[in-house]
Amino acid sequence: YRYLETGRRLVADVLLDQPLPADRLLSLYVAATDAASARLAWPDRAARRAWHAQQADGAASQRDARAALWHSVQAQDADRVTRLLQRFCNELAADPHTDALLQALPSGATPDLHARVHLLLAKAALARVRGAADQELRACEQALRLAAADDDRLMLGIAASCQRQDRPRL
């Protein structure tokens, strides 16, 4: 029996040593969240979001960027997501699941213009670290368009600072 159990553990280690596809990882996160929901019996969405925010803080303090990002997305806290992208930019840029996690953030999570611009700038920084100049440029241009549409000079200046020196400015 011990040999069989040792063999199972070794096979599991080999299988889990390779990164999971993003959809499988998200499915595992959803299953874990559903299990937590069943155990904790949150009375409403606000309690669920508060729990996820607390878990995000704990994961960030342990430098687990992916878990912190997942919980921040589930808390629908775009400001926290932006701060995580800024703080763990290199780790999240190297993580193959970051984009899938960011796509799970509802568009309504960023109702405020400033938050949307800052999130776009954080996504541009992520693309810059990855060396994806086209993605970086798109995110910077979106941030500039949002700031210009609102005629907010401060946000326009912040968004304009995203432009790299080796590219022509808009």
Side-chain angles (χ1 to χ4, degrees), residues 15-16 18-29 66 95-98 100-101:
L15 291 174
L16 293 177
Q18 300 165 1
L20 288 173
D23 59 338
R24 288 201 51 210
L25 179 74
L26 291 176
S27 296
L28 286 174
Y29 276 146
R66 183 193 299 161
D95 190 328
H97 302 105
T98 299
L101 291 172

Side-chain angles (χ1 to χ4, degrees), residues 41-53:
W42 294 304
D44 56 9
R45 288 180 190 231
R48 181 181 177 142
R49 287 181 182 159
W51 181 83
H52 278 292

Side-chain angles (χ1 to χ4, degrees), residues 96-152:
H97 302 105
T98 299
D99 292 333
L101 291 172
L102 288 174
Q103 287 176 353
L105 183 67
S107 59
T110 53
D112 154 82
L113 170 83
H114 291 228
R116 283 193 304 240
V117 170
H118 284 294
L119 181 60
L120 284 167
L121 295 177
K123 287 180 178 181
L126 201 66
R128 185 178 307 124
V129 169
R130 291 177 175 160
D134 57 332
Q135 290 177 356
E136 177 189 359
L137 181 61
R138 273 189 302 230
C140 288
E141 287 175 347
Q142 281 182 304
L144 276 168
R145 277 194 299 274
L146 276 176
D150 195 51
D151 199 27
D152 185 335

